[in-house]
């Protein structure tokens, strides 16, 4: 047994907060020292009196595997030939008070399946990736002017086996990926994949930040799953929690008997809302740990993006009656984003931020936090409050629909209907809708259509695509039996067609983050609760007209102002009978007429469906052809209907 000493430069960078591949130094690594093959252990425990490695290889007796303290800032190291890949281990830490702690390795690559808590020596090398085509595609075209509709899911409760056991990563590749592709989602976002002790924490209270949870298999199994996603043109985003961690005895909390990864001051350390501990984001070693962690998931697992959880809890000091900005967290987030984007400019850094902090998605060089996307929590809260209200009373909540367009282009937004909105007594999205059975489905179709038409990228939590009736039950699978019922079947048909339209119609995604891509037609009809607007693409005169009716009333020959004198084709109507509607649709193309209306130079007359959204495409002149002396619009509407019916 001997000591493999880290270099002075590595040690300097770690304590400076700039060792961005600290996972190559810390943890358990297979190495050759003096021609001997063994395992090098390295851990940071600045307050420890002594540190030993214990495991099944020494019957959990660390007397023969004591680590050497190699600097006065608490880095401990040891090389031994007694340990092999696959062995269980922990660090036995003797505190200055003489207490003995058994801690999992903060940098472990693999862990025992809960409720067991030991780390496992694991070799991450050896997986052969086949996602080169996906990576080339990402580099060719930025995401900002491409469609992005994220399917958010929790792997453990999306679907379970008949005996109640969990699907593995490899089994999910066979079950989940075809489902996501079939429905047309562009990305999946998985609730935290880091190792965590409690299923119902969903991964948000982690213990092993470098350890892909063993609930579903090995790290190589997860690599296979992500690789398969990429080969099927699906991006992978993971929820990531750099703000706080759980306080289980084997984890990071009071790692060496004193605050190590967390703030020393209890007022700053204790996260009273979630019962967790806040990372000390001003401590350089913690910065090295967390920034390295993001790069680790990018390098070894080819993660395409991170939804950074609870940014509001980081930006402001916790447990304070007033909002006081946390400069440590602000500087950390800027540094994190700068480092991540320097490694991969295509990465998605998504802030889950409920505050009105300015310039969250602006580059740090312009004074921003450096994210490239932010969840639009304001839009989500406003539109759900509007939809949950009685349709008659919605005329008093008119600004809940219009207000979002006052700030829609101040940030790069994602419109989220996430897991947070369908748990703990909040009801499912379907059950939030007022009215009878039919009206609930009609209004949910309207809500999804409005989300697709509104500027911003999109996110929907699992189950929303078929109208899950109950809220998310976080220990049970989704209610797949609902697929036996006609209205739920038709909801899935609608969502698939809606996403198909979304990905094909460039005005719905090309100019998401600039005011040039949106224009109100009528934002003031609070009495009838009908909203109409235009979405524009990059090309001149490439546009869609969207009309939303938030009441159960039907209107015929309803006049709408339009910007172009051309024909308009209804490419989707949520009231189509194919989707479970009453079929108040516009089958024929509509010719724009001379005459100013709604401030537009021309107008059309159309049918307005109850609780319906209609998307009409302006037909270009070159899209017309002569037949039997008459003009006909070149449309594949009939073929589209046949495809949907099939």
């Amino acid at each position: 047994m001997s000591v493999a000493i880290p270099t002075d430069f590595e040690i300097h960078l770690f304590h400076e907060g700039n060792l961005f591949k600290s996972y190559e130094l810390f943890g358990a690594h297979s190495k050759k020292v003096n021609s001997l093959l063994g395992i090098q252990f390295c851990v940071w425990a600045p307050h420890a009196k002594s540190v030993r490695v214990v495991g099944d290889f020494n019957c959990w007796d660390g007397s023969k595997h004591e680590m050497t303290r190699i600097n006065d800032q608490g880095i401990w190291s040891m090389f031994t030939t007694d340990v092999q890949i696959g062995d269980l281990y922990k660090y036995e830490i003797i505190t200055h008070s003489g207490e003995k702690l058994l801690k999992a390795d903060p940098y472990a690559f693999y862990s025992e399946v809960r409720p067991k808590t030991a780390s496992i020596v694991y070799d991450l090398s050896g997986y052969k990736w086949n996602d080169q085509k996906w990576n080339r595609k990402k580099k060719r075209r930025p995401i900002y002017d491409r469609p992005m509709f994220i399917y958010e899911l929790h792997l453990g409760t999306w679907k379970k086996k008949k005996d109640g056991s969990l699907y593995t990563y490899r089994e999910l590749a066979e079950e989940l990926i075809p489902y996501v592709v079939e429905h047309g989602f562009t990305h999946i976002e998985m609730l935290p994949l880091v190792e965590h002790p409690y299923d119902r924490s969903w991964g948000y209270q982690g213990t092993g930040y470098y350890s892909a949870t063993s609930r579903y298999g090995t790290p190589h199994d997860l690599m296979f799953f992500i690789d398969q996603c990429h080969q099927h043109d699906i991006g992978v985003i993971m929820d990531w929690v750099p703000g706080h961690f759980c306080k289980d005895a084997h984890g990071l909390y009071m790692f060496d008997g004193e605050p190590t990864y967390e703030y020393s001051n209890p007022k700053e350390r204790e996260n009273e809302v979630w019962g967790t501990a806040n990372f000390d984001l001003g401590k350089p070693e913690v910065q090295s740990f967390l920034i390295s962690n993001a790069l680790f998931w990018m390098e070894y697992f080819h993660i395409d993006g991170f939804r950074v959880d609870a940014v509001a809890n980081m930006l402001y000091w916790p447990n304070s009656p007033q909002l006081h900005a946390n400069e440590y967290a602000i500087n950390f987030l800027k540094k994190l984003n700068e480092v991540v984007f320097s490694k991969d400019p295509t990465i998605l850094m998504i802030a889950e931020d409920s505050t009105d902090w300015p310039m969250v998605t602006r580059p740090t060089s312009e004074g921003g936090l450096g994210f490239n996307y932010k969840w639009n929590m304001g839009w989500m809260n406003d539109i759900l409050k509007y939809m949950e209200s009685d349709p008659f009373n919605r005329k008093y909540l008119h600004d809940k629909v219009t207000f979002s367009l006052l700030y829609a282009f101040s940030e790069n937004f994602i419109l989220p209907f996430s897991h947070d909105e369908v748990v703990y007594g909040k009801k499912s999205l379907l059950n939030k809708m007022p009215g009878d059975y039919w009206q609930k489905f009609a209004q949910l179709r309207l809500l999804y259509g409005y989300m697709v038409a509104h500027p911003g990228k999109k996110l929907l939590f699992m189950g929303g695509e078929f109208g899950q009736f109950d809220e998310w039950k976080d220990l049970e699978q989704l209610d797949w039996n609902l697929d036996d019922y006609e209205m739920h079947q038709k909801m899935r048909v609608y969502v698939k067609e809606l996403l198909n339209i979304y990905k094909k119609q460039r005005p719905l995604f090309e100019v998401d983050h600039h005011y040039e891509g949106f224009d109100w037609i009528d934002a003031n009809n609070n009495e009838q609760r009908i909203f109409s607007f235009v979405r524009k693409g990059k090309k001149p005169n490439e546009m869609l007209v969207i009309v939303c009716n938030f009441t159960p009333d039907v209107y015929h020959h309803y006049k709408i102002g339009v910007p172009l004198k051309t024909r308009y084709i209804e490419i989707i109507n949520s009231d189509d009978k194919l989707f479970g509607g009453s079929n108040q649709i516009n089958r024929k193309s509509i010719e724009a007429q001379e005459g100013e209306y709604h401030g537009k130079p021309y107008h059309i007359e159309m049918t307005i469906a109850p609780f319906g959204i209609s998307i009409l495409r302006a037909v270009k002149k070159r899209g017309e052809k002569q037949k039997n002396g008459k003009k006909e619009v070149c449309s594949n509407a009939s073929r589209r209907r046949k495809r949907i019916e099939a």
Side-chain angles (χ1 to χ4, degrees):
M1 185 173 66
S2 61
V3 178
I5 300 177
T7 67
D8 290 340
F9 186 58
E10 287 175 321
I11 293 172
H12 169 75
L13 288 178
F14 177 69
H15 293 304
E16 189 182 56
N18 293 320
L19 186 62
F20 300 139
K21 287 194 173 184
S22 59
Y23 50 86
E24 294 181 350
L25 169 62
F26 293 95
H29 297 271
S30 178
K31 288 195 175 182
K32 265 190 177 182
V33 176
N34 297 328
S35 300
L36 296 175
L37 182 64
I39 303 296
Q40 177 183 322
F41 293 92
C42 189
V43 67
W44 177 57
H47 311 104
K49 187 175 181 180
S50 66
V51 183
R52 302 165 180 169
V53 181
V54 297
D56 53 0
F57 53 89
N58 62 13
C59 298
W60 301 92
D61 177 4
S63 59
K64 294 182 180 180
H65 295 91
E66 188 152 348
M67 302 182 76
T68 300
R69 184 170 186 143
I70 62 173
N71 73 344
D72 58 4
Q73 293 170 289
I75 295 180
W76 303 76
S77 186
M78 183 195 73
F79 174 81
T80 178
T81 58
D82 298 337
V83 183
Q84 300 177 350
I85 299 294
D87 284 348
L88 304 178
Y89 73 101
K90 281 187 178 181
Y91 294 118
E92 183 182 81
I93 297 175
I94 308 301
T95 71
H96 274 287
S97 65
E99 184 182 4
K100 182 188 294 185
L101 304 176
L102 282 178
K103 291 286 187 175
D105 187 349
Y107 285 88
F109 295 151
Y110 192 38
S111 305
E112 283 189 291
V113 179
R114 83 294 183 235
K116 297 180 179 180
T117 58
S119 301
I120 301 174
V121 181
Y122 192 87
D123 184 0
L124 288 174
S125 65
Y127 182 80
K128 181 175 174 57
W129 287 86
N130 294 287
D131 61 352
Q132 295 80 11
K133 183 178 178 181
W134 167 260
N135 291 322
R136 288 195 297 269
K137 175 187 172 183
K138 284 200 304 179
K139 292 176 182 178
R140 278 198 306 266
R141 186 177 170 190
I143 192 65
Y144 308 105
D145 62 356
R146 285 196 286 125
M148 183 164 70
F149 205 125
I150 303 165
Y151 187 60
E152 185 194 34
L153 69 141
H154 178 246
L155 292 180
T157 54
W158 179 73
K159 184 181 286 188
K160 292 189 176 183
K161 298 179 182 178
K162 290 183 179 180
D163 62 0
S165 61
L166 302 175
Y167 280 92
T168 66
Y169 293 119
R170 289 180 180 268
E171 290 168 338
L172 283 165
E174 296 180 3
E175 288 279 332
L176 175 60
I177 293 174
Y179 184 86
V180 172
V181 171
E182 174 192 355
H183 286 76
F185 294 99
T186 64
H187 293 71
I188 61 171
E189 179 181 311
M190 295 181 284
L191 272 59
L193 293 171
V194 303
E195 194 56 83
H196 54 285
Y198 185 45
D199 286 359
R200 299 194 75 172
S201 76
W202 317 328
Y204 288 100
Q205 297 184 11
T207 51
Y209 273 66
Y210 289 82
S211 182
T213 179
S214 54
R215 285 167 172 77
Y216 316 113
T218 69
H220 282 100
D221 293 336
L222 176 56
M223 293 175 193
F224 174 82
F225 173 80
I226 296 173
D227 194 9
Q228 288 295 308
C229 285
H230 289 169
Q231 291 180 51
H232 288 83
D233 215 25
I234 299 296
V236 179
I237 302 165
M238 69 173 281
D239 275 11
W240 189 57
V241 192
H244 63 107
F245 55 91
C246 82
K247 295 162 66 174
D248 285 50
H250 68 283
L252 299 176
Y253 188 67
M254 298 290 183
F255 186 74
D256 54 12
E258 298 182 40
T260 305
Y261 289 88
E262 61 272 76
Y263 292 107
S264 297
N265 186 335
K267 184 178 179 181
E268 300 165 352
R269 176 176 68 237
E270 299 301 318
N271 193 314
E272 297 173 354
V273 176
W274 296 309
T276 54
N278 294 310
F279 277 109
D280 183 347
L281 298 175
K283 192 175 290 184
E285 295 86 354
V286 173
Q287 293 178 12
S288 289
F289 175 80
L290 289 172
I291 295 175
S292 292
N293 189 241
L295 298 184
F296 167 81
W297 285 97
M298 292 162 60
E299 177 182 351
Y300 281 100
F301 293 93
H302 293 204
I303 288 291
D304 300 294
F306 301 91
R307 179 264 200 181
V308 181
D309 180 63
V311 170
N313 185 70
M314 300 166 71
L315 290 174
Y316 296 100
W317 285 107
N319 310 322
S320 176
Q322 295 180 326
L323 293 178
H324 293 294
N326 183 343
E327 292 298 329
Y328 294 137
I330 295 165
N331 292 332
F332 165 76
L333 290 172
K334 290 180 178 180
K335 183 177 180 179
L336 165 71
N337 287 320
E338 288 172 356
V339 173
V340 165
F341 281 113
S342 72
K343 298 296 182 183
D344 183 0
T346 73
I347 201 75
L348 294 167
M349 292 299 288
I350 304 166
E352 190 260 322
D353 175 29
S354 57
T355 75
D356 58 358
W357 192 277
M359 299 193 295
V360 172
T361 58
R362 291 293 181 271
T364 57
S365 60
E366 298 176 11
L369 287 181
F371 291 92
N372 58 354
Y373 276 100
K374 172 182 174 175
W375 275 17
N376 194 335
M377 311 289 278
W379 172 85
M380 178 272 297
N381 284 315
D382 281 351
I383 194 62
L384 287 183
K385 184 172 183 180
Y386 185 82
M387 295 302 299
E388 288 180 86
S389 66
D390 181 273
F392 177 82
N393 293 330
R394 286 172 182 165
K395 63 182 178 180
Y396 304 115
L397 299 171
H398 196 74
D399 64 326
K400 297 297 181 186
V401 177
T402 59
F403 182 66
S404 63
L405 274 306
L406 296 178
Y407 63 87
F409 312 109
S410 62
E411 304 276 7
N412 297 338
F413 281 120
I414 292 174
L415 311 180
F417 289 136
S418 75
H419 66 279
D420 281 331
E421 312 319 314
V422 294
V423 293
Y424 297 147
K426 292 183 179 180
K427 299 181 180 180
S428 69
L429 291 178
L430 179 63
N431 216 9
K432 290 179 192 288
M433 303 298 108
D436 60 27
Y437 185 79
W438 185 91
Q439 290 176 333
K440 284 180 179 294
F441 280 93
Q443 290 175 92
L444 186 60
R445 294 193 301 270
L446 168 60
L447 177 62
Y448 290 166
Y450 178 66
M451 174 176 67
V452 162
H454 190 287
K457 307 308 181 187
K458 331 293 177 185
L459 177 144
L460 181 65
F461 185 58
M462 63 182 194
E465 72 278 9
F466 60 78
Q468 173 92 2
F469 227 116
D470 288 343
E471 65 183 25
W472 176 37
K473 300 179 286 291
D474 56 14
L475 287 179
E476 301 176 25
Q477 69 173 356
L478 295 177
D479 293 333
W480 295 107
N481 60 300
L482 293 178
D483 224 17
D484 295 334
Y485 297 87
E486 182 182 16
M487 289 299 282
H488 294 278
Q489 294 172 1
K490 291 185 173 182
M491 178 61 75
R492 282 217 299 138
V493 171
Y494 173 67
V495 168
K496 286 191 281 189
E497 181 60 15
L498 186 63
L499 266 66
N500 178 58
I501 294 291
Y502 168 64
K503 292 194 295 183
K504 286 185 176 180
Q505 299 298 324
R506 287 177 293 186
L508 292 176
F509 58 79
E510 267 193 340
V511 196
D512 262 330
H513 310 307
H514 302 280
Y515 69 90
E516 293 93 343
F518 179 91
D519 186 23
W520 280 114
I521 295 174
D522 184 8
N524 302 311
N525 189 351
N526 64 309
E527 283 297 328
Q528 290 178 302
R529 283 134 284 167
I530 294 176
F531 298 82
S532 52
F533 53 91
V534 175
R535 288 298 308 275
K536 304 174 185 177
K538 289 183 177 181
K539 294 181 179 179
N541 297 335
E542 186 175 42
M543 61 182 61
L544 300 172
V545 171
I546 292 95
V547 185
C548 303
N549 177 15
F550 290 93
T551 74
D553 300 321
V554 181
Y555 299 91
H556 299 287
H557 307 293
Y558 190 93
K559 189 182 287 189
I560 298 285
V562 292
L564 297 178
K565 190 176 189 303
T566 186
R567 293 189 180 191
Y568 292 84
I569 301 172
E570 187 173 76
I571 57 176
I572 191 169
N573 188 319
S574 64
D575 194 51
D576 196 310
K577 66 179 181 180
L578 298 175
F579 309 139
S582 61
N583 220 38
Q584 297 294 327
I585 62 177
N586 298 276
R587 287 186 175 275
K588 297 181 179 180
S589 62
I590 306 169
E591 186 77 47
Q593 304 296 320
E594 297 277 356
E596 182 179 343
Y597 202 75
H598 289 143
K600 307 299 179 189
Y602 312 103
H603 66 271
I604 59 174
E605 291 187 2
M606 60 181 295
T607 294
I608 305 292
F611 291 133
I613 179 171
S614 174
I615 301 179
L616 301 102
R617 179 171 60 87
V619 179
K620 300 177 182 179
K621 293 297 181 182
R622 64 183 176 85
E624 299 179 343
K625 65 180 181 181
Q626 292 290 131
K627 185 176 180 181
N628 298 327
K630 297 181 180 180
K631 284 185 177 181
E632 284 196 357
V633 178
C634 292
S635 170
N636 60 1
S638 61
R639 290 195 299 273
R640 185 172 65 248
R641 287 188 66 83
K642 290 179 181 178
R643 174 175 54 78
I644 296 171
E645 289 171 336

